[in-house]
Amino acid sequence: MAQPTNQPTSQVLQPRARERRERILDAALAVFTRRGYREATMDEVAEAAATSKGGVYFHFPGKEALFLALLERSATLLLQRTQLALERTPDPAGKLDAALDVVLRLFASHRDLARLFLVEALAAGPAIQEALLAIRRRFAALIASELARAREDGLIGPLDPQLAATACFGAIYEVVTQWLLSGSPADLAEAAPELRRLLRRLVGLPDRSLDEDGTP
């Protein structure tokens, strides 16, 4: 006979609840990208997640909360990958290149996600706009801390790290948005070399004629 467990029911169900929450977020991403934020409904999300509408509302009180949670999950992934790339790269120019590569690679491999947050979200409400602004600030702060360190070490000239980092993010944002709306360049990676040169000049880093692997 099986022995009774002393583990509380809430703890037994917690992993299931987390799994359902992630499944709902995955379904919401599919629905939002297919239908757009305004047209998507919680009923459609519930159907795509193979759960009840009540199950969706148990985790998310409304469509806006669901979108914000999806936005936070994606932003956390981007920031974690960028932080890891920065930690693994020793020199300032390499750090800037590494951050750029992470962003372009993530957006290129998740085009629907990029379109959702860079295009569709523009039609969303003020809470989502505020969240998007906060994410941009978090990413810029990550780059700004590296620029401040490079300035203190005398590797770049005097500049406002936060302003420079914001400008860097803005340049990347515009290139990715142009790619989403026009399809140019066909491959987002094609923009990387010119963006690298632009960002290095922007912050006063050496404009290398060759990459580390010897490729122009």
Side-chain angles (χ1 to χ4, degrees), residues 56-199:
V56 175
Y57 277 107
F58 175 80
H59 292 280
F60 307 100
K63 185 168 70 170
E64 184 176 85
L66 180 54
F67 192 92
L68 287 170
L70 191 58
L71 177 60
E72 179 60 28
R73 185 179 73 167
S74 303
T76 298
L77 175 64
L78 175 62
L79 289 164
Q80 286 176 342
R81 290 187 179 181
T82 303
Q83 180 68 61
L84 183 61
L86 292 172
E87 291 172 355
R88 289 176 172 175
T89 309
D91 69 287
K95 286 180 182 291
L96 200 59
D97 292 349
L100 172 63
D101 288 343
V102 167
V103 174
L104 294 185
R105 192 178 304 116
L106 187 64
F107 284 153
S109 60
H110 298 83
R111 185 169 186 147
D112 287 346
L113 186 69
R115 184 174 185 85
L116 180 64
F117 294 137
L118 300 184
V119 179
E120 291 289 341
L122 296 178
I128 291 174
Q129 297 299 322
E130 184 72 22
L132 286 168
L133 181 59
I135 290 168
R136 293 179 194 177
R137 287 172 176 163
R138 286 162 61 190
F139 188 86
L142 196 60
I143 303 301
S145 64
E146 298 295 339
L147 293 177
R149 188 175 296 110
R151 184 187 61 184
E152 292 167 5
D153 293 341
L155 300 173
I156 59 176
L159 52 69
D160 181 331
Q162 189 63 43
L163 183 59
T166 301
C168 288
F169 185 85
I172 299 170
Y173 176 91
E174 288 301 324
V175 169
V176 175
T177 302
Q178 177 70 19
W179 168 69
L180 289 170
L181 294 176
S182 70
S184 179
D187 183 351
L188 188 56
E190 295 174 10
E194 188 58 39
L195 264 175
R196 287 193 191 102
R197 287 189 286 268
L198 174 66
L199 297 183

Side-chain angles (χ1 to χ4, degrees), residues 193-211:
E194 188 58 39
L195 264 175
R196 287 193 191 102
R197 287 189 286 268
L198 174 66
L199 297 183
R200 289 172 188 161
R201 292 169 188 165
L202 180 63
V203 301
L205 287 166
D207 183 11
R208 303 171 184 167
S209 58
L210 296 175
D211 288 328

